[in-house]
DNA sequence: TGTGCCATGTAACGGGTTACATGATTGT
DNA sequence: ACAATCATGTAACCCGTTACATGGCACA
């Protein structure tokens, strides 16, 4: 699922401009995909050229008009197809975890910063989730999948935050004992047997 | 952190070939980054050209020799720099969650398949984690960050799996009630107010 | 007056995936 | 005999990020 497909999907909920779509992705899809203007606008142009969306421009004096995009029948069909055929992958890419894996090579306070910032970031996500929940509880209008996905996000984020809180201290003290940097090459910096399990 | 940096990081644990590195990434980093041969081999070639790794080839009759790569002092320094300076991002990209968000557009058994396959995938990851744990408990030789990162992965995966198990049925039945596809366009397929919160 | 939001787009660049191409060795 | 594993690499392609460029309107 690339940005084009994402746009088609979002447009199943109603017409929108590129700007609207970005906002929508940020509020609704934020914890499992991203899209910037640099990919959204070209995507919409291509979709229009392919006849999967139609574009209705509202002229504004002196500047480029606001463009409202609407899903066509072909666009809806295409999205449905994609939805059925796409393998539902789930991947995590985390420099955060990678960095922690190398805790023994990092200065202790850098380690603390990394942990604390991540905890803070999770908390921000959780509270913006909570806001979204309140909104949709009032309107009670979102798709049924929304609650499920939101619940999933909350559960996972909470578990992550709690783990970090509980084990934060242990990691910092343990990495202090095993630290390995230029200043104190106490135990030689090459392992005895290397990576390969041959 | 791109594949080049990943290779440098892995090589801090000992010399390895491109093939070894792929295996290492799969077993050790699997739940937070990926790298295929198509990126690893070019990366190693570039690193060698930049003097960040050295290459020692073991010739094999009739075929390209096995190439063992070793971190140079410059390579180690570069990796340490990157580690300190890189913003520790953590991003999830999930067609799985995206698909579930659109549960109301999917056939019910497709929904079941998606959920069951994800649960199964998580279980596979958890059991391969458990194997890794046994291995490193015997040798007691991994970096201190390894246990932490592994624990994090286990915690999060377990929470995810449990959530899916508990809410699986509810999603399927709820999406049945709200289903919206070509065959039964029961409630009109465009929302009253669209996406934008204006 | 200035900050932030609305609103659109382009262009260069970076970087990974997939498929292809090859072929010996080891285990069943 | 057949599959899996070891082992390296190339090239086309896909696709997203980042920075740039522009400018009015609303609110404090």
């Amino acid at each position: 699922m690339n940005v084009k497909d994402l746009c088609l999907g979002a447009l199943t909920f109603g017409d929108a401009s590129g700007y609207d779509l970005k906002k929508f992705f940020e509020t609704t899809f934020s914890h499992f995909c991203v899209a910037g203007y640099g990919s959204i606008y070209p995507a919409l142009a291509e979709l229009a050229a392919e006849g999967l969306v139609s574009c209705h421009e509202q002229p504004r004096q002196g500047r480029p008009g606001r463009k409202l995009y609407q899903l066509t029948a072909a666009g809806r069909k295409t999205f449905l197809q994609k939805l059925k055929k796409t393998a539902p992958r789930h991947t995590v890419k985390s420099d955060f975890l990678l960095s922690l894996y190398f805790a023994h090579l990092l200065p202790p306070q850098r380690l603390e910063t990394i942990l604390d910032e991540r905890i803070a970031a999770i908390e921000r996500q959780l509270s913006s989730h909570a806001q979204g929940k309140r909104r949709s509880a009032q309107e009670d209008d979102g798709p049924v999948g929304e609650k499920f996905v939101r619940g999933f996000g909350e559960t996972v984020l909470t578990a992550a935050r709690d783990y970090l809180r509980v084990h934060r201290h242990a990691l910092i003290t343990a990495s202090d004992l095993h630290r390995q940097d230029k200043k104190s090459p106490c135990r030689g910096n090459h392992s005895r047997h290397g990576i390969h399990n041959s």
Side-chain angles (χ1 to χ4, degrees), chain A residues 44-179:
Chain A
L44 287 170
E46 283 173 42
L47 289 171
E50 293 165 21
L52 302 181
V53 300
S54 59
C55 173
H56 307 279
E57 188 166 357
Q58 314 169 314
R60 294 175 305 166
Q61 60 279 41
R63 32 180 177 148
R66 178 167 192 261
K67 291 181 176 175
L68 255 198
Y69 290 91
Q70 186 179 12
L71 207 56
T72 65
R76 170 170 292 268
K77 195 177 148 193
T78 301
F79 181 65
L80 256 35
Q81 292 279 321
K82 275 275 172 57
L83 205 54
K84 276 175 205 152
K85 287 184 184 166
T86 300
R89 293 188 186 155
H90 182 89
T91 58
V92 177
K93 163 145 209 195
S94 177
D95 285 349
F96 165 69
L97 291 173
L98 188 66
S99 298
L100 293 190
Y101 191 91
F102 292 99
H104 58 293
L105 299 178
L106 282 170
Q109 41 95 288
R110 166 76 175 148
L111 210 52
E112 282 185 50
T113 313
I114 290 177
L115 287 162
D116 292 342
E117 276 177 11
R118 186 92 274 274
I119 291 172
I122 292 177
E123 235 132 45
R124 278 194 302 275
Q125 282 182 68
L126 279 171
S127 69
S128 77
H129 260 220
Q131 277 179 15
K133 188 148 76 181
R134 252 172 273 133
R135 251 204 315 278
S136 90
Q138 284 175 354
E139 304 193 10
D140 193 35
D141 195 40
V144 288
E146 187 174 44
K147 266 198 294 288
F148 184 88
V149 170
R150 180 144 49 209
F152 183 88
E154 263 171 43
T155 302
V156 168
L157 285 173
T158 303
R161 184 200 55 190
D162 293 347
Y163 181 87
L164 294 181
R165 277 187 184 154
V166 169
H167 296 87
R168 194 192 102 107
H169 187 66
L171 177 67
I172 291 170
T173 56
S175 75
D176 248 345
L177 297 177
H178 295 266
R179 192 160 321 283

Side-chain angles (χ1 to χ4, degrees), chain A residues 190-194:
Chain A
H190 47 280
S191 90
R192 289 180 307 286
H193 42 48

